[in-house]
Amino acid sequence: IKVIRRPAIRQRVQVRIKDTLKSRFTNGGYETNTTPSGGTPSWGRNPTDWTIPDRTIAYAVDSNAIEFPSGGGQPINYGITPYAGDFSLLTIGSTSSNTVVASNNTGSVGTTAEPIKLVFADYAFDPDNTGLLAYVLKFRLSITPTSGSTVYWSITDNSWVTSATQGINTITGSVQEQWRFNEISMEAPPIVGTAKIEFFIPKEDAHNNSDFRVYYDDVVLQSISDLEL
């Protein structure tokens, strides 16, 4: 796994480079979204192609997402400058349980002849505490064939495995209010089929704030053959 931290100001250059690559996930940038419903607050949006079990704690936001409390008081800002485009996915919470907060199964892997790569950006923020944090992000990438067993990529084993639990990967972090670009290189998969990405509610150990936020953006699954000419 490769983790790159860079100032947010470089985002527009980064996205132009990445626009030359096809993504195997639909709406990995959360740009396609609909009006809030099903628990999504008024300042959020429902991203299409993403399954979100609890829309009160996961939804798309732009930089202008603000809650105006009904009883008055200071407005609460939920929006940040996204990694790319106009929207990112906001998730709220901190838990040691393996609870899926958002998933997308629109990916497709059609060959076992070449390695694949998963990239995404994340941004951690504790609205109630400043300074360094101690957080763990969890995600899982799987491929499900038409028939047969699903396989999962395990960073720990550096291989494809058949255990869903073993396929839950972690990325640690301490810096908040800064976009981080993650690049996970995987060996050629043993099967072809439907690819799925799952993000879990993270765990923040420094304060364990239930309002801990992690934003995700630019989720891309790619291989060499995805290069556009």
Side-chain angles (χ1 to χ4, degrees):
I1 180 171
K2 183 188 297 182
V3 176
I4 303 173
R5 292 188 179 91
R6 297 174 182 170
I9 194 171
R10 66 84 184 82
Q11 309 302 355
R12 302 311 171 206
V13 175
Q14 179 73 27
V15 71
R16 289 191 178 95
I17 295 173
K18 292 166 70 177
D19 275 348
T20 63
L21 299 171
K22 298 177 183 176
S23 173
R24 293 171 182 259
F25 286 122
T26 303
N27 200 29
Y30 310 101
E31 297 299 302
T32 305
N33 49 67
T34 60
T35 54
S37 64
T40 303
S42 59
W43 57 89
R45 304 278 294 180
N46 293 345
T48 61
D49 301 296
W50 287 85
T51 299
I52 298 177
D54 185 350
R55 291 182 176 178
T56 66
I57 61 169
Y59 43 88
V61 293
D62 62 13
S63 59
N64 299 312
I66 298 175
E67 175 189 5
F68 295 95
S70 57
Q74 283 291 108
I76 301 172
N77 183 29
Y78 287 90
I80 64 170
T81 300
Y83 183 80
D86 296 317
F87 289 88
S88 58
L89 179 73
L90 165 61
T91 68
I92 302 172
S94 173
T95 180
S96 56
S97 301
N98 293 327
T99 304
V100 175
V101 70
S103 63
N104 182 317
N105 66 349
T106 63
S108 177
V109 175
T111 178
T112 59
E114 59 186 14
I116 58 178
K117 181 184 296 184
L118 173 69
V119 298
F120 64 89
D122 72 80
Y123 180 108
F125 177 52
D126 186 330
D128 302 316
N129 297 281
T130 60
L132 295 178
L133 305 174
Y135 59 88
V136 178
L137 306 185
K138 292 181 282 187
F139 71 93
R140 178 166 57 197
L141 180 79
S142 63
I143 302 174
T144 301
T146 303
S147 61
S149 300
T150 298
V151 296
Y152 309 85
W153 178 254
S154 169
I155 292 178
T156 301
D157 297 281
N158 196 35
S159 65
W160 294 96
V161 298
T162 56
S163 167
T165 300
Q166 197 174 347
I168 298 176
N169 300 293
T170 61
I171 301 176
T172 59
S174 60
V175 177
Q176 61 172 320
E177 296 187 84
Q178 178 176 280
W179 278 108
R180 178 176 63 172
F181 178 69
N182 306 285
E183 183 178 282
I184 299 93
S185 297
M186 297 163 279
E187 64 184 25
I191 59 173
V192 298
T194 300
K196 181 179 182 179
I197 179 67
E198 298 169 283
F199 292 116
F200 295 75
I201 297 175
K203 180 67 168 70
E204 203 291 300
D205 288 318
H207 307 285
N208 197 28
N209 186 358
S210 60
D211 290 326
F212 177 61
R213 305 176 191 174
V214 174
Y215 299 78
Y216 295 96
D217 203 357
D218 239 11
V219 183
V220 177
L221 182 65
Q222 63 191 41
S223 61
I224 294 175
S225 62
D226 291 326
L227 289 170
E228 292 182 346
L229 301 177

